[in-house]
Amino acid sequence: MKTKDQKLAVRPRRLRFSAGLRKMVRETELNAADLIYPLFICHGENIRAEIRSMPGIYQFSVDQLKAEVEEIAQLGIPAVILFGIPAAKDAEGSENFAPDGIIQQAIRAIKAAVPDLIVITDVCMCEYTDHGHCGIINTDRHSNLPEGYVLNDRTLDVIAKVAVSHAQAGADIVAPSGMIDGMVGAIRAALDGASFEHTPILSYSVKYASAFYGPFRDAAESPPQFGDRKTHQMDPSNVREALRETALDVAEGADMLMVKPALPYLDVLYRVRQAHPELPLVAYNVSGEYSMVKAAAANGWLDEPKVVLEALTGIKRAGADLIITYHAKEAARWLSTQ
Ligand code: PBG
């Protein structure tokens, strides 16, 4: 007697029968070459300070960078993205565009150590300002704008200067992250005016006002001293607005687009991928996403390598070409032994 099963002509399980078959029909492949590793750089010497809320992630002083970037390149990771912790903070975040600022020093040290490693710089003001906001804030009680409001066009002048300063120090790509209207256009014009027409802009085009940035603000010492970032970062409820933001960035000359965070926003990533198939798309697997996995793994609740590779593969499957992730070094190691 035939069982019901034997009458099935179509059996998807056939292609899952062996490891070899599964590998042959795999649709998404994660590689170390897809990953970008964030680095936090601080003043001082001989510093390698672990961040309390991000186990395995450190603030490095410039003298520690050579060994670190050699290891990153050796693992097959093509790029790093830099965040600086300045010596002093002020209203304009002036160390951000100082020729000898922490990021400028770090760029030079990395390019000297491993010239082929791509150096991306985060262009924002929050780590550099005494108030912790991503721009120049309104202090005029008599203006039409609320006190503490991030002033759009005055901020553009500063971040354009920052981007040029990073390019002059040797950055390969600049990545404005403040969600300030017109940031891509202003930076493009400033770079071109300073003969950096060859320097690409990776725009944090779709960046949500997310609670998942909590651990990063420990790492970069950048929490806002009052208020929040909701007047410039996006509302987590919106996705059509993401298409408006990316279309604007494309029109202003962005070379690469980003969606951030990653895992709670895979639908956004997918929609942006469909809307802009012509541009490289980056996803930022942010600090909170990292710390959740680390905390669960430390408790023995998750198999960390499997969970990390599954999550990163999911981000790629949703549409990302490249993923900025604190897991990059470990993931590259796990991928090479798979
Ligand atoms: C802004 C910036 C932030 C992150 C990257 N660039 C923080 C913020 O917007 O508050 C967060 C990244 C992360 O959480 O890993 N300079």
Side-chain angles (χ1 to χ4, degrees), residues 141-199:
R141 262 191 284 159
H142 306 293
S143 95
N144 294 331
L145 294 163
E147 264 186 281
Y149 186 76
V150 174
L151 295 169
N152 198 85
D153 299 12
R154 284 192 53 201
T155 299
L156 291 180
D157 297 339
V158 181
I159 58 178
K161 257 197 309 198
V162 172
V164 170
S165 166
H166 290 176
Q168 282 166 340
D172 296 292
I173 300 176
V174 293
S177 67
M179 293 295 284
I180 306 300
D181 291 342
M183 65 184 184
V184 172
I187 288 173
R188 186 69 273 154
L191 287 173
D192 292 356
S195 298
F196 287 101
E197 51 279 283
H198 56 285
T199 302

Side-chain angles (χ1 to χ4, degrees), residues 83 122 124 126-127 134 177 204 207 212-214 216-217 222 229 233 260 284-288 326:
F83 300 95
D122 184 85
C124 191
C126 59
E127 292 121 68
C134 304
S177 67
Y204 284 67
K207 177 173 177 181
F212 285 92
Y213 308 149
F216 174 95
R217 292 177 188 172
S222 65
R229 308 213 199 288
Q233 298 181 347
K260 173 185 176 191
Y284 199 141
N285 176 226
V286 302
S287 57
Y326 304 95

Side-chain angles (χ1 to χ4, degrees), residues 217-295:
R217 292 177 188 172
D218 283 347
E221 302 177 10
S222 65
Q225 298 304 304
F226 59 86
D228 53 40
R229 308 213 199 288
K230 289 181 185 165
T231 68
H232 46 109
Q233 298 181 347
M234 273 179 53
D235 184 327
S237 308
N238 293 356
V239 64
R240 296 191 304 263
E241 190 183 355
L243 303 179
R244 188 181 194 210
E245 284 286 0
T246 49
L248 271 171
D249 280 358
V250 172
E252 290 175 29
D255 299 282
M256 303 166 91
L257 304 174
M258 191 195 300
V259 171
K260 173 185 176 191
L263 293 173
Y265 298 90
L266 294 181
D267 59 323
V268 180
L269 201 52
Y270 180 77
R271 294 280 295 269
V272 171
R273 168 82 296 163
Q274 304 303 305
H276 300 286
E278 75 281 16
L279 287 187
L281 180 57
V282 180
Y284 199 141
N285 176 226
V286 302
S287 57
E289 300 175 62
Y290 173 84
S291 299
M292 288 195 303
V293 173
K294 283 285 170 188

Side-chain angles (χ1 to χ4, degrees), residues 23-338:
K23 194 164 192 280
M24 261 183 94
V25 298
R26 192 156 292 150
E27 298 172 34
T28 307
E29 199 187 347
L30 183 70
N31 297 298
D34 307 326
L35 307 177
I36 299 169
Y37 191 59
L39 287 174
F40 297 99
I41 299 120
C42 61
H43 285 277
E45 265 169 50
N46 230 355
I47 298 173
R48 201 173 181 277
E50 191 167 29
I51 292 140
R52 193 184 46 84
S53 52
M54 300 179 73
I57 302 296
Y58 301 82
Q59 289 181 352
F60 295 98
S61 52
V62 173
D63 59 312
Q64 300 293 301
L65 286 173
K66 184 172 187 292
E68 182 66 16
V69 294
E70 283 172 355
E71 187 187 357
I72 291 164
Q74 221 263 318
L75 287 165
I77 297 166
V80 290
I81 182 163
L82 308 185
F83 300 95
I85 298 110
K89 305 192 185 217
D90 58 35
E92 283 226 332
S94 30
E95 192 183 315
N96 213 351
F97 47 86
D100 218 23
I102 188 66
I103 283 297
Q104 289 78 359
Q105 292 182 40
I107 298 165
R108 289 193 289 266
I110 295 170
K111 292 309 287 186
V114 185
D116 291 341
L117 188 69
I118 295 296
V119 173
I120 307 171
T121 57
D122 184 85
V123 176
C124 191
M125 290 176 61
C126 59
E127 292 121 68
Y128 294 85
T129 50
D130 47 14
H131 43 70
H133 282 286
C134 304
I136 302 289
I137 56 170
N138 181 36
T139 52
D140 176 2
R141 262 191 284 159
H142 306 293
S143 95
N144 294 331
L145 294 163
E147 264 186 281
Y149 186 76
V150 174
L151 295 169
N152 198 85
D153 299 12
R154 284 192 53 201
T155 299
L156 291 180
D157 297 339
V158 181
I159 58 178
K161 257 197 309 198
V162 172
V164 170
S165 166
H166 290 176
Q168 282 166 340
D172 296 292
I173 300 176
V174 293
S177 67
M179 293 295 284
I180 306 300
D181 291 342
M183 65 184 184
V184 172
I187 288 173
R188 186 69 273 154
L191 287 173
D192 292 356
S195 298
F196 287 101
E197 51 279 283
H198 56 285
T199 302
I201 300 173
L202 158 57
S203 178
Y204 284 67
S205 311
V206 183
K207 177 173 177 181
Y208 287 92
S210 169
F212 285 92
Y213 308 149
F216 174 95
R217 292 177 188 172
D218 283 347
E221 302 177 10
S222 65
Q225 298 304 304
F226 59 86
D228 53 40
R229 308 213 199 288
K230 289 181 185 165
T231 68
H232 46 109
Q233 298 181 347
M234 273 179 53
D235 184 327
S237 308
N238 293 356
V239 64
R240 296 191 304 263
E241 190 183 355
L243 303 179
R244 188 181 194 210
E245 284 286 0
T246 49
L248 271 171
D249 280 358
V250 172
E252 290 175 29
D255 299 282
M256 303 166 91
L257 304 174
M258 191 195 300
V259 171
K260 173 185 176 191
L263 293 173
Y265 298 90
L266 294 181
D267 59 323
V268 180
L269 201 52
Y270 180 77
R271 294 280 295 269
V272 171
R273 168 82 296 163
Q274 304 303 305
H276 300 286
E278 75 281 16
L279 287 187
L281 180 57
V282 180
Y284 199 141
N285 176 226
V286 302
S287 57
E289 300 175 62
Y290 173 84
S291 299
M292 288 195 303
V293 173
K294 283 285 170 188
N299 277 293
W301 297 338
L302 286 176
D303 179 333
E304 186 182 356
K306 288 193 176 134
V307 163
V308 167
L309 296 182
E310 181 179 334
L312 296 177
T313 301
I315 295 168
K316 206 174 164 196
R317 190 190 63 239
D321 298 302
L322 295 158
I323 306 170
I324 302 174
T325 178
Y326 304 95
H327 297 292
K329 282 171 63 184
E330 286 177 309
R333 274 192 209 101
W334 296 326
L335 285 167
S336 70
T337 56
Q338 250 188 350

